[in-house]
């Protein structure tokens, strides 16, 4: 991963405030706390649900895809904006967007000659933000 992506990820994380980091979660009492969502999923999720959750996490498990989610958390973007911001080649951005789209993380909307991408919902951004914050706490 290039240092530019790391800087972009750090810049995106710097904009996280307690109010914007995890709506729907209880106030964070400190690092590594076990803050619980207000509405928890069933404790005994079916095998199919767990498999789908695993697929979703695998789709998020690439540094470039994490950086894309952090960018889309701030605003909808088209491919060339992501290319410029993340300093990653267009074919690679398109490939990662395809993975995210297939997993239901992002959605594209054609606007003239461009396709503008956005996150399907904020839950996925929270997963990424929390993962990056967790790693940063340990450093």
């Amino acid at each position: 991963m290039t240092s530019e992506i790391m800087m972009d990820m750090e810049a995106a994380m710097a904009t996280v405030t307690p109010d914007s980091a995890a709506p729907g979660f209880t106030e964070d009492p400190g690092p590594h706390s076990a803050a619980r969502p207000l509405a928890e999923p069933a404790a005994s999720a079916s095998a199919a649900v767990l498999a789908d959750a695993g697929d979703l996490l695998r789709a998020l498990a690439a540094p470039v895809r994490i950086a894309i989610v952090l960018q889309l958390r701030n605003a909808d973007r088209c491919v060339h904006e992501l290319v410029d911001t993340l300093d990653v080649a267009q074919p690679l951005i398109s490939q990662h967007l395809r993975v995210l789209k297939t997993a239901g993380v992002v959605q594209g909307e054609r606007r003239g000659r461009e396709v503008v991408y956005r996150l399907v919902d904020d839950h996925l951004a929270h997963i990424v933000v929390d993962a990056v914050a967790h790693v940063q706490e340990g450093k």
Side-chain angles (χ1 to χ4, degrees):
M1 178 165 46
T2 66
S3 61
E4 291 86 9
I5 292 174
M6 287 302 297
M7 288 186 291
D8 288 333
M9 288 173 67
E10 289 171 5
M13 286 302 301
T15 63
V16 176
T17 64
D19 293 335
S20 69
F25 281 76
T26 57
E27 186 174 321
D28 184 7
H32 304 293
S33 70
R36 300 277 184 223
L38 297 177
E40 291 189 36
S44 59
S46 71
V49 168
L50 295 175
D52 288 348
D55 291 343
L56 175 62
L57 291 173
R58 275 187 290 284
L60 295 171
V64 173
R65 292 195 288 268
I66 290 170
I68 289 171
V69 169
L70 290 173
Q71 289 298 312
L72 295 178
R73 178 180 157 269
N74 295 326
D76 297 353
R77 303 202 189 268
C78 59
V79 173
H80 76 83
E81 291 172 319
L82 292 168
V83 167
D84 293 344
T85 302
L86 300 177
D87 193 32
V88 176
Q90 183 272 324
L92 188 57
I93 291 289
S94 294
Q95 178 182 3
H96 284 294
L97 283 168
R98 187 169 40 257
V99 170
L100 292 171
K101 189 173 179 182
T102 300
V105 175
V106 301
Q107 181 175 341
E109 177 184 327
R110 182 160 295 282
R111 294 185 189 160
R113 295 177 56 189
E114 297 180 329
V115 177
V116 177
Y117 290 90
R118 67 175 184 82
L119 293 175
V120 170
D121 65 44
D122 289 335
H123 291 106
L124 304 167
H126 297 307
I127 292 169
V128 171
V129 168
D130 289 347
V132 173
H134 178 76
V135 169
Q136 288 176 331
E137 288 172 358
K139 293 190 178 198

